[in-house]
Amino acid sequence: MPQATATVADPADESGPDRPAESRAAAAGSDFAPLLRAARDQGLLERRTDRYVLGIATNLAALGAVVTGFILLGDTWWSLFLTLPLAVLWTRTAFVAHDAGHAQISADRRASRLIGLVHANLLLGMNEAWWNDKHVRHHANPNHIDKDPDVGVGALVWTQKQAEQREGFARWLTRNQARLFFPMLLLEGIALKIYGFQFLRRQPLRERAVSALLLTAHFALCATLLFSTLSPGRAIVFALVLHALFGLHLGLAFAPNHKGMEMPDPDGGRWGHLQRQVLTSRNVRGGVLTDWFLGGLNYQIEHHLFPSMPRPNLRLAQPLVRAHCAGIGMPYTETGLIESYRQALAYMHDVGEPLR
């Protein structure tokens, strides 16, 4: 399965596939080349393996502690209070799988895929092959209506043209999508699992077998743990609440990144790498708490420009990127967390305007 680091190369570029995505993008756009050199000279593209080892070990230990507490509590409704820390730790796990897909943790593709399989398929029940396939196309052409699956027609729509074609219940949904957005995120944790299983049929036989085995192991382990500790009713409620909180947390982390930002005109001129990534992305300012809550992906502009840059280095790259954009007169969007949600929801509300 291709890793997400291959996503940002200009499709028109004929350079070798083994070159880092950032290097291939620089070859395709001179505006980006000086920024790439500056980031490389400061060592910001060097992997932070020690930081990731510590983070992964800490997350796994915390998961083990929560599971142990769950078992010790036994068959009681008090166990529901553990869904919140477990959902937070699942989201940390998803961030690790995301970074593995971008080869931020290791340059070795096998090691990256192994980390992704363990964290996504086994620990979350989410098919890493499905996620990487989708994420590859998103990074290559963010917010491009014909090429980015994140702005394709689904439960939500992202352009008024898409909205005008909705009928029946979907039309009502689009008309109210801004106010329904956060409640719908409560279903995202379950949806991720469904999408992953559906994607199995598209995988090569050997890869499909590995993915299916780990996904099945996830469900078997979770079911055994839940139903051997809780009564059936409590077990089902626990699972539903956990997945609702997990989906909400993931959605809160990813929603500010692109919604309501520029959308390239499919019939317009071709954008270079810098323009394509900066104009379609929004950063979220804040301190240590915001960085932790959003998994460091609040530096979305830097992440899209340098997808293989280790997540801990993104904040260090921000001054370089901001200064470079200012120097060439390119808008650089950064807002507070609440404002980012307001802008995203306002955009979704405007999309549904023709139906109201």
Side-chain angles (χ1 to χ4, degrees):
M1 194 67 204
Q3 297 296 315
T5 44
T7 64
V8 297
D10 190 315
D13 179 30
E14 298 297 331
S15 50
D18 292 332
R19 293 179 60 191
E22 294 88 345
S23 297
R24 284 180 277 137
S30 59
D31 284 346
F32 179 60
L35 186 57
L36 175 61
R37 285 195 296 269
R40 183 178 290 137
D41 290 345
Q42 292 193 20
L44 296 177
L45 296 176
E46 296 178 5
R47 288 172 177 82
R48 303 280 297 276
T49 305
D50 55 342
R51 179 77 174 266
Y52 275 108
V53 169
L54 177 61
I56 289 172
T58 300
N59 187 64
L60 291 176
L63 281 170
V66 173
V67 171
T68 300
F70 172 78
I71 295 172
L72 292 176
L73 275 176
D75 188 15
T76 170
W77 287 112
W78 290 106
S79 296
L80 287 178
F81 284 100
L82 294 179
T83 56
L84 180 58
L86 191 53
V88 170
L89 293 172
W90 267 19
T91 304
R92 306 299 111 187
T93 302
F95 289 151
V96 173
H98 167 272
D99 293 0
H102 279 293
Q104 294 176 15
I105 303 172
S106 172
D108 187 302
R109 290 193 175 190
R110 290 185 177 180
S112 295
R113 182 150 192 267
L114 178 61
I115 295 170
L117 284 169
V118 170
H119 284 79
N121 294 50
L122 182 60
L123 295 180
L124 297 179
M126 182 182 76
N127 192 339
E128 59 87 33
W130 164 77
W131 171 258
N132 278 340
D133 175 78
K134 175 176 175 288
H135 208 53
V136 159
R137 291 179 283 137
H138 162 69
H139 264 267
N141 292 282
N143 270 13
H144 191 294
I145 199 65
D146 293 334
K147 299 178 180 179
D148 182 359
D150 286 355
V151 291
V153 175
L156 305 174
V157 296
W158 308 104
T159 70
Q160 291 190 350
K161 183 177 179 180
Q162 291 175 334
E164 291 168 352
Q165 298 171 359
R166 305 281 264 183
E167 297 179 354
F169 175 74
R171 190 177 180 87
W172 175 86
L173 192 64
T174 298
R175 190 164 58 240
N176 299 281
Q177 65 180 8
R179 70 183 67 178
L180 293 173
F181 177 68
F182 288 120
M184 289 174 67
L185 289 179
L186 298 174
L187 302 175
E188 187 66 16
I190 295 175
L192 293 176
K193 286 178 164 58
I194 295 173
Y195 296 147
F197 269 98
Q198 291 175 338
F199 190 79
L200 286 173
R201 70 188 69 173
R202 294 178 52 187
Q203 295 180 246
L205 183 60
R206 183 175 179 181
E207 183 180 292
R208 183 192 312 164
V210 173
S211 295
L213 176 64
L214 292 174
L215 291 174
T216 303
H218 167 82
F219 280 95
L221 290 171
C222 287
T224 300
L225 178 63
L226 286 173
F227 288 100
S228 65
T229 305
L230 302 176
S231 64
R234 286 173 179 159
I236 292 172
V237 171
F238 185 96
L240 290 175
V241 173
L242 171 59
H243 283 82
L245 293 176
F246 172 54
L248 180 62
H249 190 358
L250 268 185
L252 289 172
F254 285 99
N257 298 343
H258 302 282
K259 306 312 178 191
M261 295 303 297
E262 290 280 351
M263 300 186 73
D265 183 353
D267 300 320
R270 185 175 186 79
W271 289 10
H273 176 66
L274 190 74
Q275 183 182 23
R276 185 164 63 244
Q277 306 299 343
V278 173
L279 296 185
T280 61
S281 302
R282 176 195 293 110
N283 274 19
V284 177
R285 72 172 66 92
V288 174
L289 183 59
T290 301
D291 289 0
W292 176 85
F293 178 71
L294 299 180
L297 293 176
N298 46 311
Y299 303 102
Q300 189 68 193
I301 294 173
E302 289 71 28
H303 171 55
H304 263 256
L305 287 172
F306 306 103
S308 66
M309 179 181 288
R311 207 157 19 104
N313 288 353
L314 294 176
R315 66 179 182 84
L316 304 177
Q318 185 182 40
L320 289 177
V321 176
R322 185 190 283 124
H324 183 72
C325 289
I328 64 174
M330 181 171 291
Y332 180 98
T333 302
E334 185 177 35
T335 71
L337 181 61
I338 302 303
E339 175 61 16
S340 72
Y341 294 140
R342 189 200 68 78
Q343 290 182 11
L345 292 176
Y347 176 77
M348 285 188 277
H349 180 77
D350 289 344
V351 167
E353 183 63 33
L355 307 186
R356 287 193 291 277

